[in-house]
């Protein structure tokens, strides 16, 4: 390339660069946002959101659905698409982020969950814009007030003043309760211990509130109004290195032992759950609806290019850059798409990884069109997030890449936790085209091969095991 071809950015290009960088932010997009790319609507193996919608629509007045996606799969964006479609068909859809109510670093108990679930429904319902001009009667006796009274009347041991009605009224007690349950392990443990023999009473209290809420909703809209409650982000309960196993086991117990309590009367409940639910039996009505990675290659030895998936990701890049930014950043003509593909081809079908690759390239490119050297630097920067890889992990990853299956040694907690880590961190990709299959992230293929080869050479093991 002629040295003069790479031009310093003009003032106009600097402003365009800033807009592009901000459009590459990693955040959930609502359908209708001009940056939204329908990654799954034309998915070749059926749209998981359409399947989830159909299951709700066919289930009658209430149901329990599980939904899952790996980090960076666009799960929350797709749930917002489900919300909009349900609303277009006349459902009242309430959405809540579980991380506002539970601590993702601590084990969760059925008592924690029922209190958080009722509180989240309360907050979502009372903040629904449609009720702004005519507030629901429920607001006069909110769930937080009810559950605070319930705990006080059953003499839960709490610090003085924690649930005390303040000068601003009993709602403040509810706000304190929400905060204490999320931030105070001692308070939460006291509640858990006391309610261990009163879970049925707590469930009845929560279910009465849900039923009262549905009655008021139907007074407002009519008796045929159906309600959907989406409780998102539960899959992000992971704990820390010191208690990860304990946290994961608490989530498994929650759904395995208490699933009937998680059904909400007259409401379609949608819970997001960790992807590893695929590998354990929890006795539910069906496995979770799963969002796969966007498939960029076929399940053959050569990993032949999958044009459909590559096209979807190219459209994703074009929307984020805009036509003007796309052609100026990547260059004119056929070279433009080829340069964009250098990053798209190594993102593993995860839009979060693709966003990171693109942001790193935009951050480093102070001349346009972007050079191949800058694209390689962006790739190496993101690849560094995956390193170092332990020898034992590399051996398992190499087997997954060879067999195109998870190669799970057992469904014991240690093996499942380790595979969960692979999937959550995108070391391993979950893919579908008819059958489901697995592969390792393209950013680490060469590194995994080198580690295994070095291990074989140093140990004299010709099999790589």
């Amino acid at each position: 390339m002629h040295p003069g071809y790479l031009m310093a950015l003009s003032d106009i290009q600097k402003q365009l660069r800033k807009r592009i960088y901000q459009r590459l932010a990693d955040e959930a997009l609502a359908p209708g946002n001009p940056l939204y790319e329908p990654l799954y609507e034309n998915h070749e193996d059926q749209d998981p959101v359409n399947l989830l919608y159909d299951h709700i629509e066919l289930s009658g007045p209430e149901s329990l659905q599980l939904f899952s996606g790996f980090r960076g799969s666009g799960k929350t964006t797709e749930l917002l698409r489900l919300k909009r479609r349900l609303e277009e068909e006349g459902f009242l859809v309430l959405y809540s982020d579980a991380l506002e109510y539970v601590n993702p670093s601590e084990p969760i108990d059925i008592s924690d969950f029922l209190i958080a679930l009722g509180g989240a429904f309360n907050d979502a319902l009372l903040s629904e814009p449609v009720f702004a001009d005519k507030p629901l009667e429920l607001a006069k006796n909110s769930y937080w007030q009810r559950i605070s009274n319930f705990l006080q009347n059953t003499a839960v041991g709490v610090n003085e003043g924690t649930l005390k009605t303040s000068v601003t009224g009993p709602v403040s007690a509810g706000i304190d309760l929400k905060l204490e349950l999320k931030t105070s392990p001692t308070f939460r443990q006291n509640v858990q211990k006391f309610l261990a023999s009163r879970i049925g009473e707590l469930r009845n209290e929560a279910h009465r509130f849900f039923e009262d809420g549905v009655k008021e909703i139907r007074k407002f809209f009519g008796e045929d109004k159906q309600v959907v409650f989406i409780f998102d982000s539960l899959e992000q309960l992971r704990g820390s290195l010191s208690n990860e196993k304990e946290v994961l086991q608490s989530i498994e117990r929650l759904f395995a032992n208490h699933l009937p309590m998680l059904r909400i009367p007259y409401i379609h409940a949608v819970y997001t759950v960790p992807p590893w639910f695929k590998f354990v039996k929890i006795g539910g009505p069906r496995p979770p609806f799963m969002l796969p990675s966007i498939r960029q290659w076929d399940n053959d030895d050569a990993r032949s290019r999958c044009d459909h998936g590559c096209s979807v990701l190219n459209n994703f890049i074009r929307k984020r850059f805009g036509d003007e930014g796309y052609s100026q950043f990547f260059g004119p003509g056929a070279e433009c798409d080829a340069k964009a593909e250098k990053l798209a081809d190594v993102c593993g079908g995860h839009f979060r990884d693709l966003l990171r690759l693109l942001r790193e390239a935009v951050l480093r490119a102070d001349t346009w069109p972007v050079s191949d050297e800058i694209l390689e630097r962006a790739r190496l920067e993101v690849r560094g997030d995956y390193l170092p890889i332990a020898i034992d992990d590399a051996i398992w990853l190499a087997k997954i890449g060879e067999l195109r299956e998870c190669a799970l040694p057992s469904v014991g907690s240690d093996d499942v936790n380790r595979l969960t880590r692979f999937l959550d961190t995108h070391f391993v990709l979950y893919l579908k085209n008819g059958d489901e299959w697995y592969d390792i992230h393209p950013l680490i293929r060469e590194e995994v091969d080198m580690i295994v080869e070095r291990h074989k050479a140093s140990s004299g093991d010709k099999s790589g095991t």
Side-chain angles (χ1 to χ4, degrees):
M1 179 180 294
H2 190 279
Y5 180 67
L6 295 175
M7 302 291 291
L9 301 183
S10 66
D11 289 342
I12 293 176
Q13 286 177 320
K14 288 178 182 177
Q15 290 301 314
L16 179 58
R17 180 191 185 207
K18 184 175 182 178
R19 290 198 300 272
I20 291 170
Y21 192 79
Q22 292 173 355
R23 289 200 297 260
L24 295 173
D26 179 9
E27 57 189 14
L29 299 178
N33 188 306
L35 299 181
Y36 175 72
E37 173 63 24
L39 298 175
Y40 298 99
E41 287 186 39
N42 299 312
H43 196 269
E44 56 202 334
D45 195 54
Q46 291 189 289
D47 179 356
V49 168
N50 282 345
L51 292 173
L52 185 52
Y53 169 85
D54 289 342
H55 202 75
I56 291 172
E57 197 270 334
L58 295 172
S59 293
E62 65 183 54
S63 64
L64 186 155
Q65 319 297 336
L66 304 180
F67 186 69
S68 190
F70 302 99
R71 293 179 184 177
S73 62
K75 171 189 56 60
T76 295
T77 293
E78 296 307 307
L79 283 175
L80 294 177
R81 177 162 67 89
L82 171 69
K83 181 177 186 293
R84 185 177 73 166
R85 183 174 176 195
L86 287 163
E87 288 171 341
E88 289 172 347
E89 296 300 323
F91 289 82
L92 176 67
V93 184
L94 305 174
Y95 172 91
S96 186
D97 186 337
L99 296 186
E100 294 183 15
Y101 300 88
V102 297
N103 189 328
S105 300
E106 297 290 339
I108 188 167
D109 183 79
I110 182 60
S111 59
D112 307 340
F113 191 86
L114 287 173
I115 295 173
L117 189 66
F121 181 81
N122 173 91
D123 296 349
L125 179 59
L126 297 184
S127 64
E128 181 65 25
V130 72
F131 302 123
D133 295 330
K134 186 181 178 183
L136 297 173
E137 288 292 318
L138 211 62
K140 297 177 181 178
N141 188 20
S142 75
Y143 180 78
W144 291 116
Q145 182 177 345
R146 288 192 189 190
I147 205 65
S148 294
N149 292 339
F150 172 77
L151 293 177
Q152 288 174 318
N153 292 337
T154 49
V156 172
V158 298
N159 294 331
E160 183 179 356
T162 300
L163 296 176
K164 185 178 180 180
T165 300
S166 71
V167 294
T168 57
V171 174
S172 295
I175 295 173
D176 291 340
L177 173 59
K178 174 182 173 180
L179 181 63
E180 288 290 318
L181 284 169
K182 183 177 178 180
T183 62
S184 172
T186 301
F187 176 81
R188 190 168 53 250
Q189 288 165 11
N190 286 342
V191 172
Q192 290 173 1
K193 289 176 183 176
F194 186 83
L195 291 177
S197 61
R198 294 171 172 83
I199 295 300
E201 296 174 50
L202 178 63
R203 177 204 59 202
N204 293 340
E205 188 72 24
H207 282 191
R208 274 194 295 270
F209 179 79
F210 287 123
E211 290 173 3
D212 289 346
V214 172
K215 285 177 184 176
E216 289 206 41
I217 289 168
R218 291 180 176 173
K219 274 187 206 174
F220 188 92
F221 288 104
E223 289 300 318
D224 294 333
K225 193 69 171 180
Q226 292 200 55
V227 183
V228 179
F229 181 43
I230 299 173
F231 203 38
D232 193 10
S233 301
L234 283 171
E235 82 290 347
Q236 295 187 42
L237 274 62
R238 289 302 311 271
S240 60
L241 288 176
S242 62
N243 72 344
E244 180 185 53
K245 183 176 180 178
E246 184 183 358
V247 172
L248 295 181
Q249 287 177 338
S250 76
I251 302 169
E252 181 179 351
R253 283 195 303 271
L254 177 69
F255 284 89
N257 300 338
H258 303 291
L259 200 61
M261 292 192 186
L262 306 187
R263 295 182 179 275
I264 306 176
Y266 310 111
I267 293 174
H268 298 279
V270 179
Y271 302 115
T272 60
V273 294
W276 50 263
F277 268 39
K278 281 184 58 63
F279 309 111
V280 296
K281 296 185 181 297
I282 60 170
R286 66 174 315 283
F289 292 91
M290 293 282 294
L291 281 180
S293 301
I294 299 299
R295 185 168 65 89
Q296 298 178 270
W297 59 89
D298 292 329
N299 187 12
D300 55 23
D301 290 340
R303 293 189 174 95
S304 304
R305 179 184 175 87
C306 172
D307 291 333
H308 174 78
C310 292
S311 175
V312 165
L313 293 175
N314 184 262
N315 289 339
F316 177 93
I317 297 174
R318 283 180 176 273
K319 283 191 177 180
R320 295 295 174 123
F321 277 76
D323 290 340
E324 183 182 10
Y326 185 83
S327 60
Q328 289 194 42
F329 183 81
F330 290 109
E335 181 182 355
C336 187
D337 288 343
K339 282 194 172 182
E341 287 171 2
K342 285 180 180 292
L343 297 182
D345 286 350
V346 295
C347 77
H350 281 279
F351 84 86
R352 180 170 295 170
D353 287 358
L354 180 54
L355 285 171
R356 174 78 194 287
L357 287 159
L358 294 168
R359 281 172 68 88
E360 291 295 334
V362 171
L363 184 65
R364 286 165 169 71
D366 53 7
T367 58
W368 287 4
V370 64
S371 67
D372 288 338
E373 291 76 15
I374 291 294
L375 295 178
E376 177 62 10
R377 254 189 271 171
R379 186 189 73 85
L380 292 174
E381 180 67 23
V382 177
R383 174 177 169 269
D385 293 344
Y386 289 86
L387 305 179
I389 301 174
I391 292 174
D392 287 347
D393 286 348
I395 291 172
W396 189 354
L397 292 167
K399 185 175 293 186
I400 292 171
E402 178 186 358
L403 301 177
R404 309 293 166 81
E405 59 184 50
C406 64
L408 189 64
S410 74
V411 292
S413 60
D414 288 343
D415 289 331
V416 170
N417 290 352
R418 191 171 164 208
L419 179 60
T420 298
R421 176 167 54 83
F422 288 161
L423 291 163
D424 273 350
T425 55
H426 304 171
F427 279 63
V428 173
L429 309 173
Y430 168 75
L431 302 143
K432 287 192 77 172
N433 58 312
D435 294 330
E436 62 181 37
W437 50 287
Y438 299 80
D439 206 345
I440 60 175
H441 201 293
L443 282 172
I444 62 170
R445 286 178 193 153
E446 292 181 4
E447 183 71 17
V448 165
D449 288 344
M450 287 191 293
I451 293 172
V452 171
E453 287 302 316
R454 287 197 298 266
H455 174 68
K456 288 164 61 177
S458 64
S459 65
D461 180 2
K462 299 185 183 299
S463 68
T465 59

